[in-house]
Amino acid sequence: MKLKIVTWNINSIRLREDHVCSLLAKYKPDIICLQELKAPTESVPISRLEELGYKYRVIRGQKSYNGVAIISRIPLSDADYCDYCLKGDARHVSARLSNGVEIQNFYIPAGGDIPNREENKKFAHKLDFLNEMKINFIKKRLSKTILVGDLNIAPLEHDVWSHSQLLKVVSHTPIEIEALQKVAEAGNFIDITRKNIPDGLLYSWWSYRSPNWSMSNRGRRLDHIWATSDIAMKAHSSFILKEARSWERPSDHVPVFAEFNL
DNA sequence: ATGGTAGTTTGACTA
């Protein structure tokens, strides 16, 4: 079975329904995982997705903030979610494919501006969320799992525009990177994007605050596709659709793709 | 050190 999967922080599904539909029409992934729907479940537009053949979905919306979804043209079962940190945030959803492969879609907290747990509640939340993921994955002994999402951490030197200048900037601090590594180890996960594209700068997000984002190219790789080691060697053809950042009224994140021969 | 932009709950929150 071939599986083409894409993850995208869409930053409002209602504002960017057109973008999602044109992406699906052109690239025809089997599954798209979305983050930051910024809409309640009942307000997420689904009719055009259905028309495009995406008849299966698990949507966990939320008013104003967060919101995640798995949209699929192949059947999904065992829809589930975890309420990490018990805040009621819609930051996780999961589902299973007919071949037993599990899809996990995450929107990890951004963590605010100050990289200090005592001074910044949002940073504490981010670290707590990562720790809960780790504990959860140790308990579950995962296999045949693909984890995707906006993890809000750029772990490698070449995942940011300046490693030295971002060491104290939330998303690239050693404490976050170490926490994320522990999550990956606990779940036996491999970073598929970097396995397929080991060398060179790789970004999936460029801030809205830079009017000249393309020229300055101060990006970060915050969006990830991971797979457990038992299926990691089945992944290929990873790519990041940088051009989506130039589309009209774009999300600040771009789609990240991978394919699997399962 | 500061401010820059965008989206949503129209004003202050999030990123």
Side-chain angles (χ1 to χ4, degrees):
Chain A
M1 173 203 179
K2 288 190 175 192
L3 179 76
K4 185 174 186 177
I5 189 164
V6 54
T7 179
W8 196 6
N9 178 322
I10 196 62
N11 188 20
S12 172
I13 185 62
R14 287 179 288 193
L15 214 56
R16 276 178 268 281
E17 183 187 7
D18 284 351
H19 284 4
V20 171
C21 289
S22 54
L23 186 86
L24 294 176
K26 180 163 183 189
Y27 293 91
K28 298 178 168 43
D30 298 292
I31 295 178
I32 185 166
C33 292
L34 299 170
Q35 305 86 34
E36 280 208 273
L37 300 175
K38 291 189 171 176
T41 303
E42 63 274 17
S43 303
V44 174
I46 52 170
S47 61
R48 290 175 61 198
L49 301 175
E50 294 225 338
E51 285 168 22
L52 286 162
Y54 293 83
K55 295 177 182 169
Y56 307 94
R57 59 188 165 266
V58 185
I59 299 176
R60 206 173 152 229
Q62 184 179 333
K63 191 178 180 183
S64 306
Y65 306 113
N66 311 315
V68 288
I70 303 172
I71 311 286
S72 175
R73 54 180 192 174
I74 57 177
L76 302 173
S77 64
D78 302 306
D80 202 0
Y81 69 87
C82 259
D83 181 8
Y84 285 94
C85 302
L86 297 176
K87 289 167 71 79
D89 287 351
R91 293 181 178 274
H92 171 254
V93 70
S94 65
R96 195 176 297 278
L97 309 182
S98 61
N99 60 5
V101 169
E102 185 165 348
I103 310 294
Q104 300 248 3
N105 181 16
F106 279 92
Y107 175 47
I108 291 179
D113 289 332
I114 303 162
N116 181 299
R117 153 185 292 286
E118 276 71 41
E119 294 173 27
N120 174 9
K121 279 182 185 172
K122 293 180 192 172
F123 196 71
H125 178 212
K126 185 176 197 174
L127 296 179
D128 291 346
F129 193 106
L130 288 160
N131 194 46
E132 273 189 33
M133 284 175 73
K134 180 184 74 178
I135 291 165
N136 205 359
F137 292 167
I138 290 170
K139 277 189 212 158
K140 278 187 173 170
R141 297 184 173 273
L142 296 177
S143 63
K144 289 176 74 176
T145 299
I146 298 170
L147 181 154
V148 308
D150 176 3
L151 307 187
N152 265 315
I153 297 171
L156 304 173
E157 284 197 32
H158 286 169
D159 292 342
V160 292
W161 64 274
S162 169
H163 173 61
S164 58
Q165 286 182 256
L166 286 169
L167 274 170
K168 291 180 178 174
V169 173
V170 172
S171 74
H172 194 61
T173 65
I175 186 170
E176 294 166 80
I177 292 168
E178 190 183 346
L180 188 68
Q181 270 166 355
K182 285 183 175 171
V183 172
E185 283 166 24
N188 203 17
F189 283 112
I190 308 289
D191 176 345
I192 294 301
T193 309
R194 273 303 183 190
K195 180 181 158 66
N196 289 168
I197 315 170
D199 300 317
L201 303 174
L202 215 47
Y203 311 143
S204 66
W205 173 88
W206 292 261
S207 173
Y208 282 129
R209 295 177 193 179
S210 170
N212 210 357
W213 70 272
S214 184
M215 278 292 288
S216 57
N217 198 26
R218 294 183 169 189
R220 306 177 202 170
R221 187 171 70 103
L222 304 180
D223 303 274
H224 298 266
I225 297 183
W226 291 358
T228 47
S229 61
D230 55 332
I231 57 169
M233 78 293 287
K234 301 178 180 188
H236 60 92
S237 306
S238 289
F239 74 100
I240 299 183
L241 192 66
K242 182 178 180 180
E243 67 168 60
R245 188 63 178 76
S246 303
W247 292 355
E248 198 181 341
R249 284 251 262 172
S251 170
D252 46 352
H253 296 252
V254 299
V256 177
F257 284 83
E259 294 182 46
F260 291 83
N261 293 329
L262 295 166

PDB file of all heavy atoms in Angstrom, chain A residues 28-40:
ATOM      1  N   LYS A  28      -2.750  15.516  -4.513  1.00  0.00           N
ATOM      2  CA  LYS A  28      -3.470  14.276  -4.269  1.00  0.00           C
ATOM      3  C   LYS A  28      -2.878  13.379  -3.164  1.00  0.00           C
ATOM      4  O   LYS A  28      -2.647  12.192  -3.374  1.00  0.00           O
ATOM      5  CB  LYS A  28      -3.572  13.471  -5.576  1.00  0.00           C
ATOM      6  CG  LYS A  28      -4.355  14.199  -6.655  1.00  0.00           C
ATOM      7  CD  LYS A  28      -4.382  13.384  -7.950  1.00  0.00           C
ATOM      8  CE  LYS A  28      -5.369  13.910  -8.965  1.00  0.00           C
ATOM      9  NZ  LYS A  28      -5.392  15.360  -9.129  1.00  0.00           N
ATOM     10  N   PRO A  29      -2.628  13.979  -1.993  1.00  0.00           N
ATOM     11  CA  PRO A  29      -2.187  13.117  -0.885  1.00  0.00           C
ATOM     12  C   PRO A  29      -3.327  12.195  -0.460  1.00  0.00           C
ATOM     13  O   PRO A  29      -4.497  12.513  -0.702  1.00  0.00           O
ATOM     14  CB  PRO A  29      -1.857  14.123   0.220  1.00  0.00           C
ATOM     15  CG  PRO A  29      -2.762  15.279  -0.060  1.00  0.00           C
ATOM     16  CD  PRO A  29      -2.857  15.365  -1.563  1.00  0.00           C
ATOM     17  N   ASP A  30      -2.988  11.065   0.144  1.00  0.00           N
ATOM     18  CA  ASP A  30      -4.034  10.203   0.708  1.00  0.00           C
ATOM     19  C   ASP A  30      -4.590  10.814   1.990  1.00  0.00           C
ATOM     20  O   ASP A  30      -5.780  10.683   2.263  1.00  0.00           O
ATOM     21  CB  ASP A  30      -3.460   8.813   0.979  1.00  0.00           C
ATOM     22  CG  ASP A  30      -2.988   8.161  -0.308  1.00  0.00           C
ATOM     23  OD1 ASP A  30      -3.848   7.844  -1.143  1.00  0.00           O
ATOM     24  OD2 ASP A  30      -1.759   8.025  -0.496  1.00  0.00           O
ATOM     25  N   ILE A  31      -3.703  11.472   2.726  1.00  0.00           N
ATOM     26  CA  ILE A  31      -4.106  12.038   4.017  1.00  0.00           C
ATOM     27  C   ILE A  31      -3.485  13.415   4.181  1.00  0.00           C
ATOM     28  O   ILE A  31      -2.299  13.610   3.883  1.00  0.00           O
ATOM     29  CB  ILE A  31      -3.642  11.129   5.180  1.00  0.00           C
ATOM     30  CG1 ILE A  31      -4.367   9.777   5.108  1.00  0.00           C
ATOM     31  CG2 ILE A  31      -3.856  11.789   6.537  1.00  0.00           C
ATOM     32  CD1 ILE A  31      -3.953   8.797   6.179  1.00  0.00           C
ATOM     33  N   ILE A  32      -4.297  14.362   4.652  1.00  0.00           N
ATOM     34  CA  ILE A  32      -3.751  15.662   5.071  1.00  0.00           C
ATOM     35  C   ILE A  32      -4.067  15.857   6.554  1.00  0.00           C
ATOM     36  O   ILE A  32      -5.203  15.654   6.987  1.00  0.00           O
ATOM     37  CB  ILE A  32      -4.287  16.834   4.213  1.00  0.00           C
ATOM     38  CG1 ILE A  32      -3.597  18.147   4.616  1.00  0.00           C
ATOM     39  CG2 ILE A  32      -5.810  16.975   4.287  1.00  0.00           C
ATOM     40  CD1 ILE A  32      -3.806  19.280   3.615  1.00  0.00           C
ATOM     41  N   CYS A  33      -3.031  16.204   7.315  1.00  0.00           N
ATOM     42  CA  CYS A  33      -3.199  16.505   8.732  1.00  0.00           C
ATOM     43  C   CYS A  33      -3.041  18.010   8.904  1.00  0.00           C
ATOM     44  O   CYS A  33      -2.053  18.589   8.461  1.00  0.00           O
ATOM     45  CB  CYS A  33      -2.149  15.773   9.554  1.00  0.00           C
ATOM     46  SG  CYS A  33      -2.374  13.982   9.549  1.00  0.00           S
ATOM     47  N   LEU A  34      -4.038  18.619   9.519  1.00  0.00           N
ATOM     48  CA  LEU A  34      -4.054  20.075   9.678  1.00  0.00           C
ATOM     49  C   LEU A  34      -3.939  20.454  11.146  1.00  0.00           C
ATOM     50  O   LEU A  34      -4.403  19.720  12.027  1.00  0.00           O
ATOM     51  CB  LEU A  34      -5.354  20.654   9.104  1.00  0.00           C
ATOM     52  CG  LEU A  34      -5.602  20.422   7.613  1.00  0.00           C
ATOM     53  CD1 LEU A  34      -7.025  20.819   7.234  1.00  0.00           C
ATOM     54  CD2 LEU A  34      -4.589  21.188   6.764  1.00  0.00           C
ATOM     55  N   GLN A  35      -3.311  21.626  11.371  1.00  0.00           N
ATOM     56  CA  GLN A  35      -3.271  22.207  12.712  1.00  0.00           C
ATOM     57  C   GLN A  35      -3.722  23.664  12.621  1.00  0.00           C
ATOM     58  O   GLN A  35      -3.714  24.260  11.562  1.00  0.00           O
ATOM     59  CB  GLN A  35      -1.853  22.147  13.313  1.00  0.00           C
ATOM     60  CG  GLN A  35      -1.239  20.758  13.340  1.00  0.00           C
ATOM     61  CD  GLN A  35      -0.539  20.406  12.036  1.00  0.00           C
ATOM     62  OE1 GLN A  35       0.034  21.266  11.383  1.00  0.00           O
ATOM     63  NE2 GLN A  35      -0.597  19.134  11.654  1.00  0.00           N
ATOM     64  N   GLU A  36      -4.060  24.198  13.779  1.00  0.00           N
ATOM     65  CA  GLU A  36      -4.585  25.565  13.903  1.00  0.00           C
ATOM     66  C   GLU A  36      -5.781  25.810  12.987  1.00  0.00           C
ATOM     67  O   GLU A  36      -5.798  26.740  12.188  1.00  0.00           O
ATOM     68  CB  GLU A  36      -3.494  26.620  13.677  1.00  0.00           C
ATOM     69  CG  GLU A  36      -2.624  26.813  14.916  1.00  0.00           C
ATOM     70  CD  GLU A  36      -2.027  28.209  15.024  1.00  0.00           C
ATOM     71  OE1 GLU A  36      -0.951  28.459  14.473  1.00  0.00           O
ATOM     72  OE2 GLU A  36      -2.671  29.052  15.683  1.00  0.00           O
ATOM     73  N   LEU A  37      -6.787  24.964  13.130  1.00  0.00           N
ATOM     74  CA  LEU A  37      -8.042  25.173  12.404  1.00  0.00           C
ATOM     75  C   LEU A  37      -8.684  26.489  12.833  1.00  0.00           C
ATOM     76  O   LEU A  37      -9.349  27.156  12.039  1.00  0.00           O
ATOM     77  CB  LEU A  37      -9.005  24.031  12.699  1.00  0.00           C
ATOM     78  CG  LEU A  37      -8.549  22.614  12.329  1.00  0.00           C
ATOM     79  CD1 LEU A  37      -9.581  21.600  12.813  1.00  0.00           C
ATOM     80  CD2 LEU A  37      -8.342  22.489  10.833  1.00  0.00           C
ATOM     81  N   LYS A  38      -8.540  26.844  14.096  1.00  0.00           N
ATOM     82  CA  LYS A  38      -9.136  28.064  14.663  1.00  0.00           C
ATOM     83  C   LYS A  38     -10.639  28.137  14.402  1.00  0.00           C
ATOM     84  O   LYS A  38     -11.159  29.208  14.057  1.00  0.00           O
ATOM     85  CB  LYS A  38      -8.430  29.313  14.121  1.00  0.00           C
ATOM     86  CG  LYS A  38      -7.003  29.470  14.638  1.00  0.00           C
ATOM     87  CD  LYS A  38      -6.412  30.815  14.256  1.00  0.00           C
ATOM     88  CE  LYS A  38      -5.088  31.060  14.959  1.00  0.00           C
ATOM     89  NZ  LYS A  38      -4.476  32.330  14.521  1.00  0.00           N
ATOM     90  N   ALA A  39     -11.307  27.014  14.569  1.00  0.00           N
ATOM     91  CA  ALA A  39     -12.763  26.968  14.375  1.00  0.00           C
ATOM     92  C   ALA A  39     -13.321  25.781  15.159  1.00  0.00           C
ATOM     93  O   ALA A  39     -12.646  24.758  15.301  1.00  0.00           O
ATOM     94  CB  ALA A  39     -13.087  26.814  12.897  1.00  0.00           C
ATOM     95  N   PRO A  40     -14.561  25.932  15.643  1.00  0.00           N
ATOM     96  CA  PRO A  40     -15.224  24.775  16.261  1.00  0.00           C
ATOM     97  C   PRO A  40     -15.436  23.682  15.215  1.00  0.00           C
ATOM     98  O   PRO A  40     -15.534  23.981  14.018  1.00  0.00           O
ATOM     99  CB  PRO A  40     -16.567  25.325  16.734  1.00  0.00           C
ATOM    100  CG  PRO A  40     -16.474  26.809  16.628  1.00  0.00           C
ATOM    101  CD  PRO A  40     -15.421  27.120  15.623  1.00  0.00           C
TER     102      PRO A  40
END
